[in-house]
Amino acid sequence: MDKLITVTPPEKVTDEYKNEAKTWTKWDSKSRKKFTYNYTAEERVLILDGSAELSPDDGSPTVVIGKGDRVTFHKGFKCKWKITKRMKKHYTVVQDEDEEEDAPPAITCDVCDADCSAESYFMDEDERDICPTCYEKGKDGEYAGAEHQKEGEEWVEPEKEKKAPPKKKQKTAKK
C-alpha cells in the first residue's frame, strides 16, 4: 500500500509545488461525507482546507490527510473516503505516457466498484456514479433524478422519428 499513496506533511511541501497547484482544478467536498474511489491514473493533490480518513481496500491502516498535505494517489489505489471536515483541494490527474490524452474519464460505480466509464447514472446531490446494473437494481426510486451519462457526458436518448400513419385510401363512389 505504501507505494500506492504518498503523503507529504505541510512543513515539507515546497513553495514551487504550492504555486503549481494553484493552476490545477479546485474541488470542494460540499455535502459529500463518504464515498469509494478507485484511482485509475495518478492524481496529485494539495489539501487547502479540511481533513479526511482514507481506508484502503487492501486492508492497510487508515490514512489521515488534512490541510496543507501534499498527497499523491498512485494508479491502482482504491479506498473509502470519510470526510471528517469539509475539504477543499487542488488536484491534477497525470496520464501515463502510453495513454491517449483524450481518454474518457475513469468512472467507477460507487455501489459495486465496476468500471462504468462507457455508461453510468450520476447522482448530483451526493456526486455518486451508479453503473447500469446497480441502477436497475435500485429500490423504491433510490436513484430517481440521476443523470444518464455515456463516456462521462450527459446522454439524452435521441427521439425516434415518428412515422405518420399510413393514409387511408378513400373509397370512390361507384356510379
Side-chain angles (χ1 to χ4, degrees), residues 41-90:
E42 181 177 297
E43 184 174 311
R44 296 178 188 163
V45 172
L46 179 63
I47 308 297
L48 303 173
D49 199 18
S51 59
E53 295 174 358
L54 310 177
S55 300
D57 280 6
D58 69 1
S60 299
T62 298
V63 177
V64 178
I65 58 174
K67 183 176 181 177
D69 285 343
R70 169 186 173 169
V71 185
T72 302
F73 298 100
H74 300 281
K75 184 177 181 176
F77 183 63
K78 290 175 69 174
C79 68
K80 290 179 179 53
W81 278 72
K82 178 181 176 187
I83 305 290
T84 52
K85 182 180 176 194
R86 182 177 176 176
M87 181 176 286
K88 295 179 182 181
K89 68 179 183 177
H90 283 299

Short mmCIF file of all heavy atoms in Angstrom, two decimals, residues 41-90:
data_model
loop_
_atom_site.label_atom_id
_atom_site.label_comp_id
_atom_site.label_asym_id
_atom_site.label_seq_id
_atom_site.Cartn_x
_atom_site.Cartn_y
_atom_site.Cartn_z
N ALA A 41 -5.61 6.45 -12.57
CA ALA A 41 -4.45 7.22 -13.05
C ALA A 41 -3.88 7.93 -11.83
O ALA A 41 -4.55 8.08 -10.81
CB ALA A 41 -4.87 8.23 -14.11
N GLU A 42 -2.63 8.37 -11.92
CA GLU A 42 -2.03 9.10 -10.80
C GLU A 42 -2.74 10.44 -10.61
O GLU A 42 -3.04 11.14 -11.57
CB GLU A 42 -0.55 9.35 -11.07
CG GLU A 42 0.14 10.08 -9.93
CD GLU A 42 1.63 10.26 -10.16
OE1 GLU A 42 2.34 9.23 -10.25
OE2 GLU A 42 2.06 11.42 -10.27
N GLU A 43 -3.01 10.78 -9.36
CA GLU A 43 -3.63 12.07 -9.03
C GLU A 43 -2.76 12.76 -7.99
O GLU A 43 -2.40 12.16 -6.98
CB GLU A 43 -5.04 11.87 -8.49
CG GLU A 43 -5.76 13.17 -8.22
CD GLU A 43 -7.22 12.98 -7.83
OE1 GLU A 43 -7.94 12.23 -8.51
OE2 GLU A 43 -7.64 13.60 -6.82
N ARG A 44 -2.45 14.03 -8.25
CA ARG A 44 -1.66 14.83 -7.31
C ARG A 44 -2.57 15.87 -6.68
O ARG A 44 -3.35 16.51 -7.37
CB ARG A 44 -0.49 15.49 -8.03
CG ARG A 44 0.49 14.47 -8.57
CD ARG A 44 1.62 15.10 -9.32
NE ARG A 44 2.41 14.06 -9.97
CZ ARG A 44 3.26 14.26 -10.95
NH1 ARG A 44 3.45 15.49 -11.40
NH2 ARG A 44 3.93 13.26 -11.47
N VAL A 45 -2.42 16.05 -5.37
CA VAL A 45 -3.35 16.87 -4.61
C VAL A 45 -2.60 17.77 -3.63
O VAL A 45 -1.58 17.37 -3.07
CB VAL A 45 -4.31 15.94 -3.81
CG1 VAL A 45 -5.17 16.71 -2.85
CG2 VAL A 45 -5.15 15.09 -4.74
N LEU A 46 -3.16 18.97 -3.42
CA LEU A 46 -2.73 19.83 -2.32
C LEU A 46 -4.00 20.15 -1.54
O LEU A 46 -4.94 20.74 -2.08
CB LEU A 46 -2.07 21.11 -2.81
CG LEU A 46 -1.61 22.06 -1.69
CD1 LEU A 46 -0.53 21.42 -0.81
CD2 LEU A 46 -1.12 23.38 -2.25
N ILE A 47 -4.04 19.72 -0.27
CA ILE A 47 -5.22 19.95 0.56
C ILE A 47 -5.18 21.40 1.05
O ILE A 47 -4.25 21.81 1.73
CB ILE A 47 -5.26 19.00 1.78
CG1 ILE A 47 -5.08 17.54 1.36
CG2 ILE A 47 -6.54 19.22 2.59
CD1 ILE A 47 -6.15 16.98 0.49
N LEU A 48 -6.21 22.17 0.68
CA LEU A 48 -6.28 23.58 1.07
C LEU A 48 -6.91 23.76 2.44
O LEU A 48 -6.53 24.64 3.21
CB LEU A 48 -7.08 24.38 0.03
CG LEU A 48 -6.58 24.31 -1.40
CD1 LEU A 48 -7.55 25.00 -2.35
CD2 LEU A 48 -5.19 24.93 -1.50
N ASP A 49 -7.91 22.91 2.72
CA ASP A 49 -8.62 23.01 3.98
C ASP A 49 -9.36 21.70 4.22
O ASP A 49 -9.72 21.00 3.28
CB ASP A 49 -9.63 24.17 3.92
CG ASP A 49 -10.08 24.63 5.31
OD1 ASP A 49 -9.40 24.32 6.29
OD2 ASP A 49 -11.13 25.29 5.39
N GLY A 50 -9.58 21.38 5.49
CA GLY A 50 -10.36 20.19 5.84
C GLY A 50 -9.51 18.98 6.09
O GLY A 50 -8.27 19.04 6.14
N SER A 51 -10.20 17.84 6.28
CA SER A 51 -9.49 16.59 6.57
C SER A 51 -10.36 15.40 6.17
O SER A 51 -11.57 15.52 6.01
CB SER A 51 -9.13 16.50 8.05
OG SER A 51 -10.30 16.58 8.84
N ALA A 52 -9.70 14.25 6.04
CA ALA A 52 -10.40 13.02 5.67
C ALA A 52 -9.62 11.81 6.16
O ALA A 52 -8.41 11.87 6.38
CB ALA A 52 -10.58 12.94 4.16
N GLU A 53 -10.36 10.72 6.35
CA GLU A 53 -9.76 9.43 6.66
C GLU A 53 -9.97 8.54 5.44
O GLU A 53 -11.08 8.44 4.92
CB GLU A 53 -10.46 8.80 7.87
CG GLU A 53 -10.27 9.58 9.14
CD GLU A 53 -11.07 9.02 10.31
OE1 GLU A 53 -11.82 8.02 10.12
OE2 GLU A 53 -10.97 9.59 11.40
N LEU A 54 -8.89 7.93 4.96
CA LEU A 54 -8.94 7.07 3.79
C LEU A 54 -8.69 5.63 4.24
O LEU A 54 -7.65 5.34 4.84
CB LEU A 54 -7.89 7.47 2.77
CG LEU A 54 -7.83 8.96 2.41
CD1 LEU A 54 -6.68 9.23 1.44
CD2 LEU A 54 -9.14 9.43 1.83
N SER A 55 -9.63 4.74 3.96
CA SER A 55 -9.49 3.32 4.32
C SER A 55 -9.20 2.53 3.07
O SER A 55 -10.10 2.30 2.24
CB SER A 55 -10.78 2.81 4.97
OG SER A 55 -11.07 3.55 6.13
N PRO A 56 -7.93 2.11 2.89
CA PRO A 56 -7.56 1.35 1.69
C PRO A 56 -8.32 0.03 1.60
O PRO A 56 -8.54 -0.64 2.62
CB PRO A 56 -6.05 1.10 1.87
CG PRO A 56 -5.61 2.18 2.82
CD PRO A 56 -6.78 2.38 3.74
N ASP A 57 -8.73 -0.33 0.39
CA ASP A 57 -9.47 -1.57 0.17
C ASP A 57 -8.63 -2.82 0.44
O ASP A 57 -9.19 -3.90 0.63
CB ASP A 57 -10.02 -1.63 -1.26
CG ASP A 57 -11.28 -0.80 -1.43
OD1 ASP A 57 -11.67 -0.09 -0.47
OD2 ASP A 57 -11.88 -0.85 -2.51
N ASP A 58 -7.30 -2.68 0.45
CA ASP A 58 -6.46 -3.86 0.68
C ASP A 58 -6.30 -4.18 2.17
O ASP A 58 -5.56 -5.09 2.53
CB ASP A 58 -5.09 -3.68 0.02
CG ASP A 58 -4.22 -2.61 0.67
OD1 ASP A 58 -4.65 -1.98 1.67
OD2 ASP A 58 -3.09 -2.39 0.17
N GLY A 59 -6.99 -3.44 3.05
CA GLY A 59 -6.93 -3.71 4.48
C GLY A 59 -5.80 -3.02 5.21
O GLY A 59 -5.64 -3.18 6.42
N SER A 60 -5.00 -2.23 4.50
CA SER A 60 -3.91 -1.48 5.14
C SER A 60 -4.50 -0.47 6.13
O SER A 60 -5.68 -0.13 6.05
CB SER A 60 -3.10 -0.72 4.08
OG SER A 60 -2.52 -1.62 3.17
N PRO A 61 -3.67 0.04 7.04
CA PRO A 61 -4.16 1.01 8.03
C PRO A 61 -4.74 2.27 7.37
O PRO A 61 -4.32 2.68 6.29
CB PRO A 61 -2.91 1.37 8.84
CG PRO A 61 -1.95 0.24 8.61
CD PRO A 61 -2.26 -0.29 7.24
N THR A 62 -5.69 2.88 8.06
CA THR A 62 -6.33 4.11 7.61
C THR A 62 -5.28 5.22 7.49
O THR A 62 -4.39 5.33 8.32
CB THR A 62 -7.43 4.53 8.61
OG1 THR A 62 -8.42 3.51 8.62
CG2 THR A 62 -8.07 5.85 8.23
N VAL A 63 -5.41 6.02 6.45
CA VAL A 63 -4.52 7.15 6.21
C VAL A 63 -5.32 8.42 6.47
O VAL A 63 -6.41 8.58 5.93
CB VAL A 63 -3.99 7.14 4.75
CG1 VAL A 63 -3.11 8.35 4.49
CG2 VAL A 63 -3.26 5.84 4.44
N VAL A 64 -4.77 9.31 7.29
CA VAL A 64 -5.43 10.58 7.59
C VAL A 64 -4.72 11.68 6.82
O VAL A 64 -3.48 11.79 6.88
CB VAL A 64 -5.41 10.88 9.11
CG1 VAL A 64 -6.05 12.22 9.40
CG2 VAL A 64 -6.14 9.77 9.87
N ILE A 65 -5.50 12.48 6.08
CA ILE A 65 -4.92 13.61 5.35
C ILE A 65 -5.63 14.88 5.78
O ILE A 65 -6.79 14.84 6.20
CB ILE A 65 -5.02 13.41 3.81
CG1 ILE A 65 -6.46 13.24 3.35
CG2 ILE A 65 -4.15 12.24 3.38
CD1 ILE A 65 -6.64 13.18 1.84
N GLY A 66 -4.91 16.01 5.70
CA GLY A 66 -5.52 17.26 6.13
C GLY A 66 -4.84 18.48 5.53
O GLY A 66 -3.95 18.38 4.68
N LYS A 67 -5.30 19.63 5.99
CA LYS A 67 -4.86 20.92 5.48
C LYS A 67 -3.34 21.00 5.34
O LYS A 67 -2.60 20.69 6.26
CB LYS A 67 -5.34 22.03 6.41
CG LYS A 67 -5.01 23.41 5.93
CD LYS A 67 -5.58 24.48 6.84
CE LYS A 67 -5.24 25.87 6.32
NZ LYS A 67 -5.85 26.92 7.14
N GLY A 68 -2.93 21.40 4.12
CA GLY A 68 -1.52 21.60 3.83
C GLY A 68 -0.80 20.38 3.29
O GLY A 68 0.30 20.50 2.76
N ASP A 69 -1.39 19.20 3.42
CA ASP A 69 -0.74 17.97 2.95
C ASP A 69 -0.65 17.94 1.43
O ASP A 69 -1.57 18.38 0.73
CB ASP A 69 -1.50 16.73 3.40
CG ASP A 69 -1.32 16.40 4.87
OD1 ASP A 69 -0.36 16.91 5.49
OD2 ASP A 69 -2.14 15.61 5.40
N ARG A 70 0.46 17.40 0.96
CA ARG A 70 0.64 17.08 -0.45
C ARG A 70 0.40 15.58 -0.54
O ARG A 70 1.03 14.81 0.19
CB ARG A 70 2.05 17.41 -0.89
CG ARG A 70 2.42 16.89 -2.26
CD ARG A 70 3.89 17.13 -2.57
NE ARG A 70 4.23 16.47 -3.81
CZ ARG A 70 5.37 16.66 -4.46
NH1 ARG A 70 6.29 17.47 -3.96
NH2 ARG A 70 5.60 16.04 -5.57
N VAL A 71 -0.55 15.17 -1.39
CA VAL A 71 -0.89 13.74 -1.48
C VAL A 71 -0.78 13.31 -2.93
O VAL A 71 -1.26 14.00 -3.83
CB VAL A 71 -2.32 13.48 -0.97
CG1 VAL A 71 -2.62 11.98 -0.96
CG2 VAL A 71 -2.54 14.07 0.43
N THR A 72 -0.14 12.16 -3.13
CA THR A 72 -0.10 11.56 -4.46
C THR A 72 -0.79 10.22 -4.36
O THR A 72 -0.38 9.35 -3.60
CB THR A 72 1.34 11.37 -4.97
OG1 THR A 72 2.00 12.65 -4.97
CG2 THR A 72 1.36 10.80 -6.37
N PHE A 73 -1.89 10.09 -5.12
CA PHE A 73 -2.60 8.83 -5.22
C PHE A 73 -2.09 8.16 -6.48
O PHE A 73 -2.24 8.69 -7.57
CB PHE A 73 -4.12 9.06 -5.35
CG PHE A 73 -4.72 9.74 -4.15
CD1 PHE A 73 -4.98 11.10 -4.19
CD2 PHE A 73 -5.02 9.03 -3.01
CE1 PHE A 73 -5.54 11.74 -3.10
CE2 PHE A 73 -5.59 9.67 -1.91
CZ PHE A 73 -5.84 11.03 -1.95
N HIS A 74 -1.46 7.00 -6.31
CA HIS A 74 -0.90 6.30 -7.46
C HIS A 74 -1.95 5.40 -8.11
O HIS A 74 -2.89 4.94 -7.44
CB HIS A 74 0.33 5.50 -7.05
CG HIS A 74 1.41 6.38 -6.47
ND1 HIS A 74 2.25 7.12 -7.26
CD2 HIS A 74 1.74 6.66 -5.18
CE1 HIS A 74 3.08 7.82 -6.48
NE2 HIS A 74 2.78 7.56 -5.22
N LYS A 75 -1.79 5.18 -9.39
CA LYS A 75 -2.71 4.32 -10.15
C LYS A 75 -2.85 2.98 -9.45
O LYS A 75 -1.86 2.37 -9.05
CB LYS A 75 -2.15 4.13 -11.57
CG LYS A 75 -3.04 3.34 -12.49
CD LYS A 75 -2.44 3.28 -13.87
CE LYS A 75 -3.33 2.51 -14.82
NZ LYS A 75 -2.80 2.54 -16.19
N GLY A 76 -4.11 2.55 -9.27
CA GLY A 76 -4.38 1.26 -8.63
C GLY A 76 -4.81 1.37 -7.18
O GLY A 76 -5.28 0.41 -6.59
N PHE A 77 -4.68 2.57 -6.58
CA PHE A 77 -5.10 2.76 -5.19
C PHE A 77 -6.62 2.84 -5.13
O PHE A 77 -7.23 3.58 -5.88
CB PHE A 77 -4.48 4.04 -4.63
CG PHE A 77 -4.80 4.29 -3.17
CD1 PHE A 77 -4.37 3.42 -2.19
CD2 PHE A 77 -5.52 5.41 -2.80
CE1 PHE A 77 -4.64 3.65 -0.85
CE2 PHE A 77 -5.81 5.66 -1.46
CZ PHE A 77 -5.37 4.77 -0.48
N LYS A 78 -7.21 2.04 -4.26
CA LYS A 78 -8.66 2.05 -4.06
C LYS A 78 -8.90 2.26 -2.57
O LYS A 78 -8.25 1.63 -1.75
CB LYS A 78 -9.29 0.72 -4.49
CG LYS A 78 -9.29 0.49 -5.98
CD LYS A 78 -9.82 -0.88 -6.34
CE LYS A 78 -11.29 -0.99 -6.05
NZ LYS A 78 -11.88 -2.26 -6.51
N CYS A 79 -9.84 3.15 -2.26
CA CYS A 79 -10.11 3.42 -0.86
C CYS A 79 -11.51 3.94 -0.65
O CYS A 79 -12.19 4.33 -1.59
CB CYS A 79 -9.11 4.42 -0.29
SG CYS A 79 -9.29 6.09 -0.97
N LYS A 80 -11.92 3.92 0.60
CA LYS A 80 -13.17 4.54 1.01
C LYS A 80 -12.81 5.85 1.70
O LYS A 80 -12.01 5.86 2.63
CB LYS A 80 -13.94 3.62 1.94
CG LYS A 80 -14.50 2.40 1.24
CD LYS A 80 -15.24 1.51 2.19
CE LYS A 80 -15.84 0.30 1.50
NZ LYS A 80 -14.94 -0.48 0.72
N TRP A 81 -13.36 6.94 1.20
CA TRP A 81 -13.14 8.26 1.79
C TRP A 81 -14.18 8.50 2.88
O TRP A 81 -15.36 8.19 2.70
CB TRP A 81 -13.34 9.34 0.74
CG TRP A 81 -12.16 9.61 -0.15
CD1 TRP A 81 -11.69 8.81 -1.14
CD2 TRP A 81 -11.35 10.78 -0.15
NE1 TRP A 81 -10.63 9.42 -1.77
CE2 TRP A 81 -10.41 10.64 -1.18
CE3 TRP A 81 -11.35 11.94 0.61
CZ2 TRP A 81 -9.46 11.60 -1.46
CZ3 TRP A 81 -10.41 12.91 0.33
CH2 TRP A 81 -9.47 12.73 -0.69
N LYS A 82 -13.75 9.11 3.98
CA LYS A 82 -14.65 9.61 5.01
C LYS A 82 -14.19 11.03 5.31
O LYS A 82 -13.12 11.24 5.89
CB LYS A 82 -14.59 8.76 6.28
CG LYS A 82 -15.50 9.28 7.38
CD LYS A 82 -15.38 8.42 8.63
CE LYS A 82 -16.20 9.01 9.76
NZ LYS A 82 -15.96 8.29 11.02
N ILE A 83 -14.96 12.01 4.85
CA ILE A 83 -14.62 13.42 5.06
C ILE A 83 -14.93 13.74 6.53
O ILE A 83 -16.06 13.63 6.96
CB ILE A 83 -15.42 14.36 4.13
CG1 ILE A 83 -15.23 13.96 2.65
CG2 ILE A 83 -15.06 15.82 4.39
CD1 ILE A 83 -13.88 14.22 2.07
N THR A 84 -13.91 14.14 7.28
CA THR A 84 -14.11 14.46 8.70
C THR A 84 -14.28 15.95 8.93
O THR A 84 -14.79 16.37 9.96
CB THR A 84 -12.94 13.91 9.54
OG1 THR A 84 -11.71 14.37 8.99
CG2 THR A 84 -12.95 12.38 9.54
N LYS A 85 -13.83 16.76 7.97
CA LYS A 85 -14.05 18.20 7.98
C LYS A 85 -14.11 18.63 6.52
O LYS A 85 -13.25 18.23 5.73
CB LYS A 85 -12.92 18.94 8.71
CG LYS A 85 -13.13 20.44 8.79
CD LYS A 85 -12.00 21.14 9.52
CE LYS A 85 -12.24 22.65 9.48
NZ LYS A 85 -11.05 23.38 9.87
N ARG A 86 -15.13 19.40 6.15
CA ARG A 86 -15.31 19.80 4.75
C ARG A 86 -13.97 20.11 4.10
O ARG A 86 -13.19 20.90 4.63
CB ARG A 86 -16.22 21.03 4.67
CG ARG A 86 -16.49 21.46 3.25
CD ARG A 86 -17.44 22.63 3.21
NE ARG A 86 -17.63 23.10 1.85
CZ ARG A 86 -18.47 24.06 1.52
NH1 ARG A 86 -19.22 24.63 2.44
NH2 ARG A 86 -18.58 24.43 0.28
N MET A 87 -13.72 19.45 2.96
CA MET A 87 -12.41 19.55 2.32
C MET A 87 -12.46 20.36 1.04
O MET A 87 -13.38 20.26 0.25
CB MET A 87 -11.88 18.15 2.02
CG MET A 87 -10.50 18.17 1.37
SD MET A 87 -9.82 16.53 1.12
CE MET A 87 -9.37 16.14 2.80
N LYS A 88 -11.40 21.16 0.86
CA LYS A 88 -11.15 21.86 -0.39
C LYS A 88 -9.73 21.50 -0.79
O LYS A 88 -8.83 21.46 0.06
CB LYS A 88 -11.30 23.37 -0.21
CG LYS A 88 -12.73 23.78 0.13
CD LYS A 88 -12.86 25.28 0.33
CE LYS A 88 -14.29 25.62 0.72
NZ LYS A 88 -14.47 27.06 0.90
N LYS A 89 -9.56 21.22 -2.07
CA LYS A 89 -8.23 20.83 -2.55
C LYS A 89 -8.05 21.24 -3.99
O LYS A 89 -9.01 21.47 -4.72
CB LYS A 89 -8.05 19.30 -2.42
CG LYS A 89 -8.94 18.50 -3.36
CD LYS A 89 -8.71 17.00 -3.21
CE LYS A 89 -9.57 16.23 -4.22
NZ LYS A 89 -9.34 14.79 -4.16
N HIS A 90 -6.78 21.37 -4.39
CA HIS A 90 -6.41 21.49 -5.80
C HIS A 90 -5.92 20.11 -6.20
O HIS A 90 -5.24 19.43 -5.42
CB HIS A 90 -5.25 22.49 -5.98
CG HIS A 90 -5.66 23.92 -5.90
ND1 HIS A 90 -6.56 24.50 -6.76
CD2 HIS A 90 -5.27 24.91 -5.06
CE1 HIS A 90 -6.71 25.78 -6.47
NE2 HIS A 90 -5.93 26.06 -5.43
#
